[in-house]
Amino acid sequence: MAALRAALAASLTVARARPPPLGRRPPSACCSALAGAMEPAPRWLAGLRFDNRALRALPVETPPPGPEGAPSAPRPVPGACFSRARPEPLRRPRVVALSEPALALLGLGAPPAAAAAREAREAEAALFFSGNALLPGAEPAAHCYCGHQFGQFAGQLGDGAAMYLGEVCTEAGERWELQLKGAGPTAFSRQADGRKVLRSSIREFLCSEAMFHLGVPTTRAGSCVSSQSTVVRDAFYDGNPRPEPCAVVLRLAPTFLRFGSFEIFKPRDEHTGRAGPSVGRDDIRLQMLDYVISTFYPEIQACHPGDHVQRHAAFFREVTRRTARLVAEWQCVGFCHGVLNTDNMSIVGLTIDYGPFGFLDRYDPDHVCNASDTAGRYSYSKQPEVCKWNLQKLAEALDPALPLELAEAILAEEFDAEFGRHYLQKMRRKLGLVQTEQEGDGALVAQLLETMHLTGADFTNSFYLLNSFPTAPESPDLDGFLAALTAQCASLEELRLAFRPQMDPRQLSMMLMLAQSNPQLLALIGTRASLARELERVEQQSRLEQLSEAELHGKNRSRWAAWLHNYRARLEKDREASSDAVTWQAERTRVMRANNPKYVLRNYIAQGAIEAAESGDFSEVRRVLKLLETPYGGEAEAEAAEPAEASEAAEETGGAAGRRRSYSSKPPLWAAELCVT
C-alpha cells in the first residue's frame, strides 16, 4: 500500500514536468507516459496481457512533437485510422466506483475481504485507470473517424476525449479493447481539452452497466475515477460556466469502431463542403474491412474466403440485423440515446457513447432526452428510422468495396423486417404471451402504448405491474390492480408541467404569421415540427385547465379497464394452448419478470448520485451501481440497496429527504426540471 501511494505521489509530481516527445515509440516492457521516472509496477493488474491487434492491422500516425516536446496540436489525420496519444495525469485521482462484473471480464478477481487490501486495490485502479500511469503493453492512441451529426456531414471528428489503451486477451479466449474516456487531449480534440467532468462520467459509467444487466448489447464500464483537477464547463449553455472536477471512465468493448470509422473516405459533401481526411484511400478501406470481418465476424470470413463482394455484403447484412435488434431492445426498455449520429453507432451492434441519454418516465413517443435536440430528430419514436438512415450512410461509406446498389437492397430487405420481428417477440415476452403468436398481437401492443400515452402512464412501472395482473376471469383483485395501475398515471399537476408552452405568446404569433406568409424565413428560425409541437402544448394546456383530478382519474381508469379486457382475452387464448394451466402461469410469470425491469437509471436517480459525488460522497454511486446489477428485482442485494421511503410531501419538494425515495417510484415533480444536453 505504501509503495502504491508513493508511486501515485510520484506520478502527480512528474505530471508537472515536461512530457517526453510523442514521436518515440515506448519500450515494450513498459509504455511510459511519464517524464523522468520509471513507470510504477502494477500488482493487482499485473496479469493483464496486451495484444494490440488493431494497431498492427491498421495504419497508425505517429505525430511529430509539438514545441518543446508538448503534444502536437489538433489537426487533420489523413491516411491513418489511429494517431498515437498520451494521457495527461490528473491531480490526486480517486476511485468513485469499480464495476466488479465488468472487471471480471478481464480476469480480475473479486474484491478482497480485508479493508487494507481493498484500499490498495482502489489505489492501483486510481493510478492506472486515470491515465496517470500506463500498464505494461498499453499503447495509447486515438481513433480517427468522421460522422453525420444531426443529419449533416461534420467531417473529421475522432476520439477527442477518449484513448485506446490496447487489447487485453483473457484466459477465456476473449479479447477486450480498453479505453480511457476523459484522459486528455488528442489529435482530434479540436478546440476542446480532452477532459470529461464527473457528472457526465458518472452517467456513462452507471448507464453502461445498467444496460448490460438489462440484457441490451452495450459497451461496458470498469471504473470511474475522479480527481482534484478541474475544467470550466457551461453545463446548460446559458452563459454560466463553472469549474467542475475532471473524471475518467475505463470503457471495455470488443471494439470501439463505428459507422463513422468508414466515413473517413467520404468525398466532399455537397451540403456542408466537408470531406473525410482519407478521401481516395480505397486501400485503407479494404484494410479496415478485412480487419473488422476477420476479427469480429470470423464466421463470415470463413463462409466467403475468396469473394470480396459477397463477404462485404454478408458483413453489411449482419451489421444491419444487429442494429435493428439493438434499437428494438432500446424501444422495449424505454431507452433514448439522445445523439444517434453515425459516429455514435457501433460496427458490432452495441450501444455506444452515453451522453444525454434518458429512460422514459411518463410514456411519450415524442420524448426528446437531449435538450440540445430542439428539432426532435432523435426522439424516442424516431430511433428506428434514424438507425436505418445511419445504415444508409454506412452503405455509402463502404462503396465501392460493397456496391451501393447491393447494400441498399440489403438494407431494404433486412432492417424493417428484423426490427419488427425482434420488437414484437420482445413485447410478447413483456406481456407474458408464452405459448402462441397471434396476428393481432401487434395491435394489442400498439393499443397498450396508446393507453399509456393517453393516461401519461409510467413506462417502466406499468409494465412491471403487469407481472402481477390477475388472469382469472372476474377476479376480485382486479379493482386493486386497476387502482395500482392508475396510480402510475400522470397527475393533473404533472401534465400541466409537461405541457407548459415553451414559447412566448408573441413569438408563437410571429411564427404562425411566418408559416403563412414566408415559410422560407420560418425554416431559418425554426421548424414546422417545433411549431406544431408548441401548438399541441397550447391546446393540451387549455384542455387540462378545464379538467378536474377526479375526471382525469375516471378517464384513466376506463381507458385501462378497456385495454385490460382485451389483454385478459388474449391471455386466455394463450392459456388454452397449454396443457397445464399451473405450468403456464408459472412460465408466464417467470418470463415477464425476466423482461420487465423494476429499476432503470432514471435521470433523477443519476442526479442524486452525481450531487452526492460532487460533494465527495461516492456511496450513492456505488449503491445505485449495485442496484442496477439486478434490475428485474427480487435479489437480496437490490432490496438491501433500496433507501427508506420518504414521505409523499418530502418526495415532491426535491429536498434531501425527497431524493432518498424508492428507486422504483415514479419520479418526483422536480425531476421534470432536469436538463441534459
Side-chain angles (χ1 to χ4, degrees):
M1 184 63 194
L4 272 170
R5 283 176 175 157
L8 181 56
S11 76
L12 295 171
T13 300
V14 298
R16 291 185 286 271
R18 182 191 303 174
L22 263 174
R24 191 176 303 151
R25 186 184 179 97
S28 59
C30 185
C31 301
S32 176
L34 305 174
M38 286 293 290
E39 200 67 74
R43 295 183 181 180
W44 170 50
L45 303 172
L48 296 182
R49 183 171 62 86
F50 282 86
D51 177 45
N52 305 328
R53 180 183 292 176
L55 300 189
R56 295 196 305 272
L58 300 173
V60 182
E61 181 211 51
T62 300
E68 299 186 3
S72 50
R75 63 199 173 280
V77 179
C81 298
F82 289 90
S83 176
R84 295 199 182 276
R86 181 181 65 252
E88 282 195 354
L90 293 169
R91 287 194 303 113
R92 298 191 179 280
R94 179 185 171 194
V95 167
V96 176
L98 301 175
S99 170
E100 300 299 341
L103 294 175
L105 297 171
L106 305 178
L108 298 172
R118 288 199 307 272
E119 189 179 346
R121 193 171 179 260
E122 286 201 3
E124 189 169 329
L127 181 64
F128 289 99
F129 294 161
S130 66
N132 277 27
L134 289 180
L135 291 162
E139 295 182 79
H143 176 44
C144 182
Y145 54 81
C146 293
H148 281 78
Q149 299 191 320
F150 291 89
Q152 301 296 316
F153 185 64
Q156 178 180 290
L157 298 169
D159 284 335
M163 292 186 196
Y164 165 104
L165 284 184
E167 299 158 57
V168 169
C169 297
T170 69
E171 291 184 0
E174 295 177 333
R175 175 182 292 271
W176 291 95
E177 179 180 326
L178 268 58
Q179 190 182 82
L180 294 181
K181 186 167 183 178
T186 73
F188 309 106
S189 295
R190 289 167 284 174
Q191 288 78 41
D193 51 29
R195 291 300 190 191
K196 290 297 177 181
V197 295
L198 183 58
R199 57 182 163 82
S200 62
S201 298
I202 287 174
R203 284 173 55 83
E204 171 141 15
F205 173 74
L206 289 176
C207 200
S208 300
E209 293 306 280
M211 291 288 273
F212 169 77
H213 293 291
L214 284 168
V216 181
T218 179
T219 58
R220 303 294 300 276
S223 67
C224 180
V225 176
S226 187
S227 72
Q228 290 186 4
S229 298
T230 61
V231 288
V232 174
R233 292 288 188 267
D234 186 351
F236 305 112
Y237 304 101
D238 60 0
N240 293 296
R242 65 180 179 92
E244 298 189 56
C246 296
V248 176
V249 174
L250 173 72
R251 305 201 299 183
L252 295 76
T255 181
F256 285 90
L257 295 182
R258 53 210 60 213
F259 290 9
S261 302
F262 289 91
E263 291 190 292
I264 63 173
F265 313 106
K266 180 176 170 55
R268 187 169 302 280
D269 185 84
E270 61 177 333
H271 301 294
T272 66
R274 298 188 177 100
S278 296
V279 178
R281 294 299 304 270
D282 291 350
D283 56 323
I284 299 179
R285 179 173 16 227
L286 290 172
Q287 206 174 339
M288 287 180 66
L289 280 165
D290 288 346
Y291 165 71
V292 169
I293 294 171
S294 64
T295 305
F296 308 109
Y297 297 89
E299 68 286 354
I300 292 175
Q301 180 81 9
C303 288
H304 305 281
D307 190 327
H308 289 274
V309 172
Q310 288 305 309
R311 182 162 72 241
H312 297 161
F315 159 69
F316 183 70
R317 186 181 301 275
E318 181 59 21
V319 173
T320 298
R321 289 172 174 170
R322 289 191 189 188
T323 303
R325 292 193 295 268
L326 176 67
V327 69
E329 291 283 344
W330 292 349
Q331 302 304 100
C332 289
V333 295
F335 174 76
C336 305
H337 186 282
V339 275
L340 279 177
N341 302 325
T342 57
D343 53 292
N344 293 333
M345 299 287 295
S346 165
I347 204 68
V348 291
L350 303 175
T351 315
I352 190 173
D353 289 344
Y354 293 92
F357 66 84
F359 284 87
L360 291 177
D361 293 322
R362 175 179 59 85
Y363 177 72
D364 175 7
D366 297 322
H367 175 67
V368 178
C369 61
N370 178 1
S372 305
D373 183 10
T374 53
R377 177 181 174 84
Y378 298 142
S379 68
Y380 167 77
S381 62
K382 290 181 180 176
Q383 290 185 135
E385 172 191 336
V386 167
C387 286
K388 186 177 182 182
W389 189 91
N390 288 341
L391 282 161
Q392 171 68 32
K393 295 305 161 186
L394 175 61
E396 294 169 10
L398 295 178
D399 188 47
L402 173 62
L404 181 58
E405 184 178 337
L406 176 55
E408 289 178 333
I410 292 169
L411 181 58
E413 176 187 349
E414 294 288 351
F415 185 87
D416 292 340
E418 187 72 10
F419 171 81
R421 182 165 49 246
H422 193 81
Y423 177 79
L424 191 52
Q425 285 174 352
K426 181 78 173 180
M427 280 295 185
R428 284 192 179 106
R429 292 195 290 270
K430 289 175 76 69
L431 294 179
L433 305 176
V434 295
Q435 285 293 318
T436 62
E437 297 181 0
Q438 302 264 328
E439 188 175 340
D441 290 348
L444 183 69
V445 172
Q447 291 160 11
L448 168 61
L449 296 178
E450 179 67 8
T451 302
M452 282 188 180
H453 190 204
L454 290 172
T455 62
D458 186 272
F459 182 87
T460 299
N461 290 355
S462 297
F463 272 110
Y464 186 75
L465 273 173
L466 289 177
N467 295 353
S468 56
F469 176 63
T471 58
E474 307 303 324
S475 169
D477 298 330
L478 183 58
D479 280 347
F481 182 81
L482 257 176
L485 201 50
T486 53
Q488 293 302 321
C489 298
S491 67
L492 205 53
E493 189 177 5
E494 289 175 79
L495 291 174
R496 285 172 178 163
L497 187 62
F499 288 99
R500 284 179 307 178
Q502 304 295 308
M503 293 182 189
D504 180 276
R506 290 170 296 182
Q507 181 188 1
L508 178 59
S509 176
M510 181 191 73
M511 292 186 71
L512 286 170
M513 287 190 292
L514 280 175
Q516 295 293 323
S517 62
N518 195 338
Q520 292 82 10
L521 182 57
L522 175 68
L524 294 175
I525 62 173
T527 66
R528 288 190 176 274
S530 61
L531 180 57
R533 285 197 301 272
E534 183 65 12
L535 288 173
E536 183 184 347
R537 280 192 288 265
V538 171
E539 292 172 6
Q540 183 72 354
Q541 190 72 221
S542 176
R543 286 193 292 268
L544 291 171
E545 291 298 331
Q546 302 169 30
L547 195 65
S548 71
E549 195 73 61
E551 289 171 326
L552 178 66
H553 179 80
K555 286 185 176 182
N556 290 344
R557 186 180 176 88
S558 63
R559 282 169 173 150
W560 274 109
W563 183 82
L564 289 172
H565 175 79
N566 295 336
Y567 179 46
R568 173 170 277 162
R570 176 63 181 89
L571 285 174
E572 183 61 22
K573 291 180 182 177
D574 207 63
R575 186 193 62 78
E576 289 171 355
S578 174
S579 59
D580 186 329
V582 174
T583 302
W584 170 81
Q585 178 62 27
E587 177 64 4
R588 169 185 169 271
T589 301
R590 184 193 67 80
V591 169
M592 292 185 76
R593 286 180 176 171
N595 286 275
N596 292 322
K598 182 177 183 180
Y599 309 110
V600 294
L601 184 61
R602 300 177 188 260
N603 273 341
Y604 84 91
I605 296 175
Q607 187 64 23
I610 290 165
E611 290 180 5
E614 288 182 332
S615 67
D617 177 9
F618 302 149
S619 63
E620 182 66 5
V621 175
R622 299 180 186 195
R623 183 182 298 112
V624 171
L625 176 65
K626 191 67 178 174
L627 182 88
L628 295 173
E629 290 176 7
T630 52
Y632 295 98
E635 297 288 340
E637 294 92 339
E639 299 304 322
E642 277 271 28
E645 291 273 2
S647 70
E648 185 174 330
E651 286 173 0
E652 299 305 340
T653 65
R659 294 181 191 276
R660 289 196 300 269
R661 63 185 291 142
S662 169
Y663 296 118
S664 59
S665 298
K666 276 178 59 183
L669 281 177
W670 56 261
E673 302 297 326
L674 293 174
C675 176
V676 185
T677 60

